[in-house]
Amino acid sequence: MLPMTRSVAYACLIALIALLPQASRAAWQHNVLVTTPVLQPIVNELMEGLGKAESLTNASQSPHQTGFTPDQAKKLQEAEIIISPDAKIAPGLAKTFAKRTQEGALVIYLTKLPETDALPYRAHNPFLSAGHAHKKKTKQLDPHFWLDPLRVANMLPALADKIATYWPEDEAGLKRNALRIALRLRAEVHPELMNIIAEAKQRQSDSSKTV
């Protein structure tokens, strides 16, 4: 059986993906690349009607990898916008990102946007303590802001603004989508994930009492 922290983390991510509606797009206009599939559902919704988000890695691959397949190299070369959680998540990408920036691509590090500052583990937010498998001391910082629907909701307008600097003609659509997603994250996803965490903690508590 998976440890409670890891199982809750998976449940959080699965619920987040499931609760966000799948976008139906008649045509792709723009090409956006995210470095981890965790970000793909949210960015796809933000780009609703404007483009698609592909992921550089899949669920079985580490986002910290330094080597890339020919298919991954092709994705990096063709992307107009590249979105990464943090510059430190894959140091091996730094040179590639710098080269793509010189070629005209826009590279966005989400940790440089508002509401994504790292917070201490086991503090401020239950998703950062119960929702991730990393085991750290309380005083250390947890950069995994995307486990928190509220922080993602607060970050979305800034991400929309950043993307709009590259595609100003789509600013209105991006802002409209950001508002729609943020409302859903606050009203539906956040309460649902709180219930998942509460139920997981209750099961763990009940199990410990029977031992």
Side-chain angles (χ1 to χ4, degrees):
M1 179 179 295
L2 289 172
M4 192 275 285
T5 52
R6 183 174 298 179
S7 61
V8 172
Y10 291 159
C12 285
L13 294 179
I14 291 171
L16 181 58
I17 293 172
L19 288 172
L20 284 173
Q22 295 299 310
S24 57
R25 303 170 179 82
W28 303 108
Q29 298 176 21
H30 300 314
N31 189 356
V32 178
L33 181 69
V34 296
T35 58
T36 170
V38 173
L39 301 176
Q40 194 173 10
I42 295 174
V43 176
N44 261 336
E45 287 300 319
L46 184 61
M47 296 298 299
E48 165 70 15
L50 306 173
K52 66 177 180 178
E54 288 190 291
S55 179
L56 181 65
T57 57
N58 59 44
S60 65
Q61 295 173 314
S62 169
H64 308 287
Q65 69 183 65
T66 56
F68 301 98
T69 66
D71 180 63
Q72 289 173 318
K74 184 173 183 290
K75 288 181 179 181
L76 284 166
Q77 186 59 40
E78 293 179 350
E80 298 172 86
I81 291 180
I82 301 171
I83 300 176
S84 176
D86 184 82
K88 297 178 181 179
I89 194 169
L93 281 172
K95 291 184 178 180
T96 301
F97 284 176
K99 179 176 180 292
R100 294 296 293 117
T101 299
Q102 292 176 350
E103 294 171 344
L106 174 64
V107 177
I108 301 174
Y109 292 115
L110 296 183
T111 50
K112 293 185 178 181
L113 299 178
E115 304 294 337
T116 61
D117 294 336
L119 297 177
Y121 281 83
R122 305 182 184 281
H124 302 292
N125 193 289
F127 298 103
L128 300 181
S129 57
H132 203 277
H134 288 279
K135 295 181 179 179
K136 299 291 184 179
K137 296 180 180 179
T138 303
K139 292 183 180 180
Q140 291 181 304
L141 298 180
D142 184 347
H144 305 92
F145 67 88
W146 55 85
L147 288 174
D148 179 356
L150 296 183
R151 296 180 72 197
V152 172
N154 293 337
M155 175 271 294
L156 281 171
L159 178 57
D161 287 342
K162 191 70 175 178
I163 294 175
T165 65
Y166 195 83
W167 295 314
E169 69 276 13
D170 296 324
E171 181 177 8
L174 288 164
K175 289 186 174 182
R176 182 172 57 250
N177 289 343
L179 177 60
R180 172 178 55 81
I181 302 167
L183 289 173
R184 187 172 178 83
L185 287 170
R186 294 188 181 105
E188 298 181 36
V189 177
H190 178 260
E192 179 65 22
L193 297 192
M194 290 297 290
N195 288 335
I196 291 174
I197 291 176
E199 291 172 1
K201 287 183 176 180
Q202 185 61 51
R203 286 195 298 270
Q204 185 184 48
S205 176
D206 294 342
S207 176
S208 64
K209 291 178 182 179
T210 59
V211 175

